[in-house]
């Protein structure tokens, strides 16, 4: 199981001192685009200040009939809330559990504190899931296009094309086809597919085979660096097949 240390977190937690004026802390947050900052006292992290915790503090002062206090008269310490700290040795599932309750967590990396927000997690999830979703979308569309070309006769045509003498296994239905099946079937029956794809036979074949190769690498965990995965080609394929 992956741990939090395996996540590509690169958000160092910025901190302010416990006795700093709240107004100054808010200005720093606003100028740097932070939604929260850590609070230190005597070199120790004692919590977090967020815009929400500041509003809660001001509402509490108002309720206590001391609402006349201005932000430059209130110290950061008055608005501190729990840092929701997790160790980097926790499993990644701990991130989901923690961010289901809070909008951020602080990761204790031993030498430095890192901040991970729910937005960061959603962004990373999108980055991770996008290739899977694009590949699935393309495959579902290819099945629809095969069915458009052959209708109810599709299963029989697949069985006849990929018979026992063919190196690819005979698919029981279009749902059992691989990308290699799609590429060869479209090429062999180009006369039926040309009205759909115009005169792009070589382009279609190579595109389907390339996406199939990416699918196999991805689903069999043979992608060394996910950041180098050709997402642009997948996006092109999804857009192209969706438009025909």
């Amino acid at each position: 199981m992956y741990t939090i240390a395996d996540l590509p977190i690169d958000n160092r937690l910025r901190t302010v001192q416990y006795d700093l004026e709240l107004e100054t802390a808010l200005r720093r947050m606003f100028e740097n685009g932070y939604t929260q900052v850590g609070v230190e006292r005597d070199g120790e992290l004692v919590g977090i200040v967020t815009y929400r915790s500041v509003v809660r503090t001001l509402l509490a002062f108002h309720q206590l009939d001391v609402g006349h206090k201005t932000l430059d008269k209130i110290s950061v310490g008055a608005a501190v809330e729990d840092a929701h700290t997790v160790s980097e040795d926790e499993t990644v599932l701990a991130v989901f559990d923690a961010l289901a309750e809070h909008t951020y967590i602080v990761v204790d990396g031993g030498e430095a504190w890192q901040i991970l927000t729910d937005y960061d997690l959603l962004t990373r999830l999108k980055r991770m899931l996008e290739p899977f979703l694009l590949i699935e979308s393309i495959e579902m569309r290819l099945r629809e296009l095969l069915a458009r070309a052959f209708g109810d006769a599709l299963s029989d045509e697949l069985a006849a094309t990929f018979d026992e003498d063919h190196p690819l296994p005979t698919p029981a239905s279009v749902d059992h086809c691989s990308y290699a099946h799609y590429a060869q079937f479209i090429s062999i029956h180009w006369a039926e597919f040309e009205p759909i794809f115009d005169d792009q036979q070589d382009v279609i074949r190579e595109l389907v085979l390339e996406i199939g190769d990416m699918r196999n690498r991805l689903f069999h965990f043979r992608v060394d660096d996910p950041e180098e995965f050709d997402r642009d080609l997948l996006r092109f394929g999804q857009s192209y097949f969706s438009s025909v």
Side-chain angles (χ1 to χ4, degrees):
M1 177 70 72
Y2 288 113
T3 66
I4 295 175
D6 296 314
L7 292 175
I9 304 174
D10 191 27
N11 295 329
R12 182 172 173 269
L13 178 65
R14 305 300 175 179
T15 61
V16 296
Q17 293 302 312
Y18 189 87
D19 57 358
L20 184 70
E21 295 87 358
L22 198 50
E23 180 181 11
T24 303
L26 284 173
R27 287 187 184 278
R28 290 183 188 176
M29 291 168 63
F30 179 78
E31 290 169 359
N32 291 282
Y34 303 147
T35 54
Q36 57 276 309
V37 290
V39 179
E40 285 190 79
R41 181 169 56 186
D42 299 328
E44 297 290 330
L45 183 70
V46 296
I48 297 286
V49 163
T50 69
Y51 288 117
R52 184 171 181 171
S53 72
V54 171
V55 171
R56 186 169 56 237
T57 298
L58 293 176
L59 289 174
F61 282 155
H62 180 76
Q63 185 176 352
L64 295 170
D65 201 24
V66 288
H68 60 280
K69 280 186 173 290
T70 56
L71 290 174
D72 61 333
K73 302 298 183 182
I74 306 172
S75 69
V76 165
V80 169
E81 66 180 30
D82 188 81
H84 312 305
T85 305
V86 296
S87 168
E88 65 176 359
D89 297 326
E90 295 273 1
T91 69
V92 292
L93 295 179
V95 173
F96 292 91
D97 292 337
L99 290 179
E101 280 190 70
H102 316 291
T103 59
Y104 65 88
I105 56 173
V106 174
V107 180
D108 182 1
E111 296 182 0
W113 297 91
Q114 302 283 339
I115 184 94
L116 181 66
T117 68
D118 49 3
Y119 176 80
D120 295 328
L121 182 62
L122 287 173
T123 301
R124 286 181 172 82
L125 277 177
K126 178 182 181 295
R127 188 78 179 163
M128 293 167 60
L129 291 175
E130 184 184 30
F132 292 92
L133 297 176
L134 288 172
I135 287 171
E136 180 186 33
S137 175
I138 292 168
E139 183 157 13
M140 294 301 102
R141 183 57 177 165
L142 285 172
R143 293 177 184 178
E144 291 175 0
L145 295 173
L146 266 63
R148 183 201 297 182
F150 284 92
D152 294 338
L154 178 57
S155 292
D156 292 338
E157 288 293 340
L158 286 169
T161 302
F162 303 103
D163 58 20
E164 59 185 13
D165 296 324
H166 197 282
L168 290 176
T170 304
S173 70
V174 69
D175 294 343
H176 294 83
C177 287
S178 65
Y179 271 87
H181 285 102
Y182 301 137
Q184 291 197 29
F185 190 76
I186 291 172
S187 293
I188 292 170
H189 298 282
W190 183 248
E192 285 76 18
F193 288 101
E194 187 172 11
I196 298 175
F197 297 117
D198 297 325
D199 59 349
Q200 304 291 330
Q201 182 176 4
D202 292 341
V203 173
I204 298 303
R205 177 181 173 82
E206 292 306 312
L207 178 59
V208 171
L209 287 174
E210 183 65 25
I211 292 172
D213 179 65
M214 285 193 284
R215 184 263 181 210
N216 292 335
R217 288 165 51 211
L218 185 65
F219 280 70
H220 294 284
F221 307 104
R222 296 200 299 265
V223 179
D224 295 329
D225 185 357
E227 294 305 309
E228 295 180 2
F229 202 72
D230 196 344
R231 297 164 191 269
D232 287 336
L233 185 63
L234 285 179
R235 293 177 186 128
F236 167 76
Q238 195 274 335
S239 176
Y240 179 84
F241 289 119
S242 296
S243 65
V244 296

